[in-house]
Amino acid sequence: MVRVGLVAYVEEQLEREISLGRLPRNGQIGSEQVLARRYGVSRGTVREALRRLAARGLVVQRPGRVTRAVALDESLTLENLGLALHDARSEECRRLLEGFFSLKRQVLVELLADCCASASERDVSLLEDTCYRLSDAAHWNPGARCAQLEFELLRLAAQAASRPGHLLLIQSLQRALRGNAARLLSFMGGESLRQWALCAMHALSERDAQALQHQLPALLKACDERVLESFAPVLQEHVSPEAFRADDCLLEGSAPATVQDDSLEAQPCVEENDLGEPGGECTGGDMTAAALGNLPDCGTGSDASSAEDGPRPETPPSGSLGPTRVVEGKDDEPLHSPPGPLPPDWISPAPTTSTASGVAEGVSRINEK
């Protein structure tokens, strides 16, 4: 008993080394003596473990030569599906599992559709009873019991449809869940399995082959994907918290920079003169709050006033630093009144901008003065 346990242990360790690609490129496993020292067992135990691996087609033994491992894509069969499950998070493992479930779905749908067309009433009744027990086990006894009833349904369908070749394929599919692949059994069951079992039962009772061919595959696939996501979830790229914050800003339509209130800070708008040079800014950091909130359109200049335009009385907005009075003097020079209350007809907002001709005329008058 002890030796049998050691043989199984060495066989499992060598199988794991093969599946994870940890062997040298030439595939040499090593001599019996080297392996015996590595695993702390006798050479007879190693010899028996290698014989088992050779019987499964995982290694090649030749007299007088070192044992070599067979490439994984050449040695893998349904019976050796557990060989690919040592690394459950690898893309190859998930691809092989998807192939296994896809093959099982195709066989089940094909056999049940044939049973609707040619099976006897007694065989159909047995299939309905198995579907009901499977739906009940999906709710109360998930796991190995569900897998057992599912393969029982497959075998009964193959017999009812007179498909002896499918019996051999079903036997290989069932053996694929043995050994390391038995870890999949714990994820079988649940509402998704119960739904397709009830769908198959109703379709068989009505002998509706079209319902089996159109509705059952989608339900079976949903059940298989649940097992896949539980056993071998898809790896997602790591996204930093900064990227999440940036995505939130983009979704909300705002930049990640500090948002400033437009009512507290004026936005500069530069106007060009006839030469294409900047002629001045519409607003500035020293402008009073009297001009804020009533800024003209700098792009069109529709509200711009020149030196020839007369003062236009207007009540300043709330929060201004003080009223500004514009008086036409001798040279139409704007004068600022001292702080204090003024009549409403004296109040006028500060000029916000000027046209290119107004700027040129103002500069010429200053030079003459």
Side-chain angles (χ1 to χ4, degrees), residues 38-51:
R38 180 189 302 175
Y39 299 114
V41 296
S42 64
R43 294 181 60 180
T45 300
V46 173
R47 188 180 301 113
E48 180 63 21
L50 292 176
R51 189 191 65 79

Side-chain angles (χ1 to χ4, degrees), residues 1 11 14 28 36 56 113 120-121 132 160 176 191 214-215 227 236 238 241 255 276 307 309 315 318 330 334 359 369:
M1 292 297 294
E11 180 185 4
L14 290 175
Q28 293 183 356
R56 296 170 56 190
S120 63
E121 292 295 335
Y132 177 79
E191 184 63 25
H214 293 87
Q215 299 178 10
V227 178
Q236 298 181 356
H238 175 71
D309 297 334
T315 304
S318 60
K330 180 178 181 180
V359 173
K369 184 176 179 181

Side-chain angles (χ1 to χ4, degrees), residues 18-137:
I18 295 172
S19 63
L20 297 180
R22 295 176 179 176
L23 298 177
R25 293 184 179 180
N26 55 14
Q28 293 183 356
I29 295 180
S31 63
E32 295 179 358
Q33 185 176 359
V34 172
L35 295 176
R37 288 199 304 265
R38 180 189 302 175
Y39 299 114
V41 296
S42 64
R43 294 181 60 180
T45 300
V46 173
R47 188 180 301 113
E48 180 63 21
L50 292 176
R51 189 191 65 79
R52 291 187 180 183
L53 291 174
R56 296 170 56 190
L58 300 181
V59 299
V60 176
Q61 289 181 312
R62 295 180 180 177
R65 296 185 180 182
V66 179
T67 303
R68 294 177 180 271
V70 181
L72 184 60
D73 56 349
E74 298 177 4
S75 61
L76 190 62
T77 62
L78 282 175
E79 287 81 0
N80 291 333
L81 181 64
L83 186 68
L85 305 186
H86 286 291
D87 189 4
R89 295 185 178 273
S90 65
E91 295 182 0
E92 182 68 12
C93 171
R94 186 178 178 88
R95 184 182 68 84
L96 292 172
L97 282 178
E98 288 176 349
F100 168 77
F101 285 120
S102 176
L103 179 60
K104 185 162 63 72
R105 288 196 302 267
Q106 293 176 10
V107 173
L108 180 60
V109 173
E110 181 181 352
L111 290 177
L112 291 181
D114 288 347
C115 290
C116 288
S118 59
S120 63
E121 292 295 335
R122 177 178 176 277
D123 292 336
V124 171
S125 178
L126 289 176
L127 292 174
E128 291 179 20
D129 180 66
T130 306
C131 288
Y132 177 79
R133 289 187 292 138
L134 179 59
S135 64
D136 188 66

Side-chain angles (χ1 to χ4, degrees), residues 174-185:
Q174 188 172 11
R175 286 182 178 178
L177 291 179
R178 296 177 181 176
N180 291 324
R183 291 177 293 171
L184 293 170
L185 299 179

Side-chain angles (χ1 to χ4, degrees), residues 162-225:
S162 301
R163 295 290 188 90
H166 282 68
L167 285 173
L168 298 176
L169 181 58
I170 293 169
Q171 186 176 359
S172 297
L173 288 170
Q174 188 172 11
R175 286 182 178 178
L177 291 179
R178 296 177 181 176
N180 291 324
R183 291 177 293 171
L184 293 170
L185 299 179
S186 60
F187 303 107
M188 293 184 177
E191 184 63 25
S192 57
L193 191 151
R194 182 173 178 271
Q195 288 180 359
W196 78 253
L198 292 176
C199 175
M201 182 181 68
H202 293 309
L204 287 170
S205 63
E206 298 177 2
R207 290 184 178 265
D208 190 354
Q210 292 185 354
L212 287 171
Q213 294 173 349
H214 293 87
Q215 299 178 10
L216 187 59
L219 296 175
L220 286 170
K221 187 174 182 180
C223 179
D224 295 339
E225 287 180 350

